[in-house]
Amino acid sequence: MEGNQTSVTEFILLGFPLNTRTQMLLFGLFSLFYVLTLLGNGVILGLILLDSRLHTPMYFFLSHLAIVDMAYACSTVPQMLVNLLSPAKPIPFAGCITQTFLFLSFAHTECLLLVVMSYDRYVAICHPLRYSVIMSWRVCITLTVTSWVFGVLLALVHLVLLLPLPFCGPHQINHFFCEIIAVLKLACADTHINETMVLAGAVSVLVGPFSLIVVSYIHILCAILKIRSAEGRQKAFSTCSSHLCVFGLFYGTAIIMYVGPRYGHSKEGKKYLLLFHSLFNPMLNPLIYSLRNKEVKAALKRMLDKERS
């Protein structure tokens, strides 16, 4: 048994069982989406850094969301593209575990950042006169650093529980990257504790934060309806609707995958759902914020006019 356990030093990612022509088509399509993800989030990040009018708490949090989205995509998409080109190419054990850790770190961090962003909108709309006092730069930095630290620490807990497990075959992961549930299924030991921790972690960073976001937006909606100015209501609705689109896309897919009934969806269905979650969500976030946010569009216009002049 010890000999078999030590023999597994690499894994094969099964990815998507498609013919070669379809895989090449997906490689080109996913490469385009990957470039758009990096470009879109990079533009948002650049605008926030270069335009002093966007140096506010809301855009400070949005800049970190853009960083997380780029890192989130970089942790999974390149390996998926390699797998589409060379389906039989293995990934080393160390590389697989590293990818699992990075994916979990960025996913947890994004969950917490989205809660912080909803709290920022709650304070801005429900307590506008105290906004600058409550959301001081010290508070903003503390909330952001806390999101990053807790996201990494929670991923580290899963890593510590995953590393001691023996892997004695098979070595084929039924996924397009080293997703933690798919990796745990290959372990030659009882993974009940690991699976329990995955569920507990999902509840702590998905269900709890999602509940807080729902409560905060109920208060926000009530406050918006009390605004007398039609222009003020429209601006508040425009900003909050962008956030709600991002929250819905991210939490909706994540809760279905990690908190929903284990046997309620097929394995292939969850695989494609995670593809949407890890590839399309980071690409759509900058589009949602730029198309629905007048300040971002104005900043982009100012930058383009400056380049032309």
Side-chain angles (χ1 to χ4, degrees), residues 224-267:
I224 290 176
L225 294 176
K226 294 178 182 178
I227 298 176
R228 296 180 180 180
S229 168
E231 183 180 352
R233 283 198 303 270
Q234 183 180 4
K235 182 178 180 181
F237 269 122
S238 177
T239 302
C240 292
S241 61
S242 301
H243 290 203
L244 283 173
C245 287
V246 174
F247 297 153
L249 287 172
F250 185 87
Y251 282 100
T253 53
I255 288 175
I256 291 173
M257 288 184 296
Y258 292 105
V259 184
R262 182 177 301 181
Y263 304 104
H265 301 83
S266 67
K267 294 179 181 178

Side-chain angles (χ1 to χ4, degrees), residues 61 116 119 135 138-148:
F61 298 135
V116 170
Y119 176 69
M135 299 303 295
R138 182 177 180 181
V139 172
C140 293
I141 293 172
T142 300
L143 290 173
T144 305
V145 171
T146 302
S147 299
W148 279 97

Side-chain angles (χ1 to χ4, degrees), residues 91-128:
I91 178 173
F93 178 84
C96 185
I97 299 302
T98 301
Q99 187 182 51
T100 302
F101 172 72
L102 292 176
F103 172 80
L104 290 174
S105 296
F106 299 134
H108 295 155
T109 302
E110 180 156 354
C111 288
L112 299 174
L113 277 175
L114 291 175
V115 177
V116 170
M117 292 175 70
S118 71
Y119 176 69
D120 172 71
R121 290 301 85 203
Y122 165 76
V123 176
I125 295 175
C126 297
H127 304 282

Side-chain angles (χ1 to χ4, degrees), residues 27-46:
F27 175 81
L29 192 61
F30 291 167
S31 297
L32 176 62
F33 291 158
Y34 182 52
V35 171
L36 291 176
T37 297
L38 299 181
L39 182 62
N41 285 285
V43 168
I44 292 287
L45 183 60

